[in-house]
Amino acid sequence: MLRPLINRSPMPGLGLSMGITLTMLSLVVLGPIGALLAQGASYGLEGIWATVNRERVWAALELSFRLSFFAALFNLVFGVVLAWVLVRYDFPGRRLVDAAVDLPFALPTAVAGIALTTLYAPNGVFGSLAKEVGLKIAYTQWGIFIALIFVGLPFVTRTVQPVVEEIDREVEEASATLGATRFTTLRRIIAPMLMPAALTGFALSLARAVGEYGSVIFIAGNIPLKTEIAPLLIVIQLEEFNYDGAAAIGIAMLVISFAMLLAINLIQIWSRRRIGDV
């Protein structure tokens, strides 16, 4: 019996659905990236390199990607733990905590930045406590780190949470029946199941942190070579009507982000193959 060339799916109209998908992809993703690359092409490789190859720009890029990576790594660990607790444990206020996870999604970034600055400033609630032990948070890299954790944590938690809900407890009971310890069950059974979703959440958290602007500039202090982030440099270039310089920094961020996301996707593919082999 011959197999049909097109497998039927619940989504009607392959041509219509494909057209809508490609149109939205072009408008939301390909169009802006193409405009950025076109602006960079008109500027030329020498102009892009001359703009990027400055101490201030390299410092801002290094700061943005370094803190974004560590914030996403922090969210990877504690976001998975939070998702597990919300699914597996019943405690007073669980629904409130579950709803609060989505707060960074709904809260405007400028409002989040002002709130974090108020809390962690030297005269703030948490900032005053840190000041007593000789630690300054606001207007330092620690403040940027906290802001990036705040905006990125929900991506990991909400990505992993449905996977935790689908894990059958009988699998853990069977592992314990066979003599496995809790750590062995976590390492050999639970972790491989959660790994693809956790890496997806990590990538989303990293992408959000790299491009974050509103919640960071208020608490960062914006000191060149110390607490100045790369998105702020782009805004400064735009305010000075230097569109070529803004495009050059944007292309540098695009290239670095693409390389990091490509590495994460390769790790995801490896983890899925490893689960399939098991």
Side-chain angles (χ1 to χ4, degrees):
M1 182 176 180
L2 296 178
R3 298 179 60 183
L5 296 177
I6 300 177
N7 294 325
R8 298 297 178 182
S9 67
M11 179 68 71
L14 174 63
L16 178 62
S17 59
M18 181 64 69
I20 294 175
T21 301
L22 294 178
T23 300
M24 294 302 299
L25 181 64
S26 300
L27 292 175
V28 177
V29 179
L30 300 181
I33 293 179
L36 176 64
L37 295 177
Q39 183 70 28
S42 64
Y43 193 34
L45 292 177
E46 294 182 359
I48 294 175
W49 179 249
T51 301
V52 175
N53 193 26
R54 293 183 296 169
E55 183 181 6
R56 184 178 179 180
V57 177
W58 283 120
L61 290 173
E62 188 271 338
L63 176 68
S64 294
F65 283 96
R66 173 169 54 84
L67 292 183
S68 297
F69 177 80
F70 285 115
L73 198 63
F74 182 95
N75 289 332
L76 174 63
V77 176
F78 290 94
V80 171
V81 173
L82 179 58
W84 186 272
V85 170
L86 291 175
V87 173
R88 290 302 182 92
Y89 297 98
D90 190 11
F91 55 90
R94 183 175 66 88
R95 293 185 180 273
L96 182 61
V97 175
D98 190 27
V101 172
D102 295 327
L103 185 61
F105 289 148
L107 196 65
T109 56
V111 176
I114 294 173
L116 291 172
T117 305
T118 303
L119 289 174
Y120 290 99
N123 58 347
V125 177
F126 300 138
S128 58
L129 296 176
K131 185 178 179 181
E132 293 180 359
V133 297
L135 180 63
K136 183 180 180 181
I137 299 178
Y139 317 121
T140 66
Q141 294 186 15
W142 285 109
I144 301 175
F145 181 68
I146 291 175
L148 297 181
I149 290 175
F150 175 79
V151 300
L153 182 63
F155 288 94
V156 179
T157 301
R158 289 309 186 210
T159 304
V160 174
Q161 195 169 352
V163 181
V164 177
E165 293 174 351
E166 293 178 358
I167 296 179
D168 195 347
R169 297 185 182 228
E170 294 181 356
V171 176
E172 304 170 44
E173 295 174 357
S175 177
T177 303
L178 294 174
T181 63
R182 290 186 177 182
F183 178 75
T184 301
T185 302
L186 177 63
R187 181 173 61 89
R188 301 293 298 273
I189 305 298
I190 304 301
M193 293 181 180
L194 297 181
M195 184 63 68
L199 288 176
T200 300
F202 173 80
L204 294 174
S205 178
L206 177 62
R208 172 65 186 274
V210 167
E212 183 60 27
Y213 176 77
S215 61
V216 174
I217 57 173
F218 293 100
I219 198 172
N222 307 320
I223 303 174
L225 304 179
K226 292 184 179 180
T227 60
E228 190 176 50
I229 59 175
L232 178 60
L233 282 183
I234 296 177
V235 174
I236 292 174
Q237 298 296 322
L238 292 175
E239 290 177 346
E240 296 176 353
F241 302 100
N242 184 10
Y243 302 117
D244 291 332
I249 300 174
I251 290 174
M253 294 188 66
L254 178 64
V255 171
I256 300 173
S257 299
F258 179 79
M260 296 179 69
L261 293 178
L262 178 62
I264 295 172
N265 287 331
L266 292 177
I267 296 175
Q268 284 182 303
I269 294 173
W270 172 81
S271 65
R272 290 193 181 99
R273 289 180 177 176
R274 187 166 179 264
I275 294 174
D277 294 338
V278 174

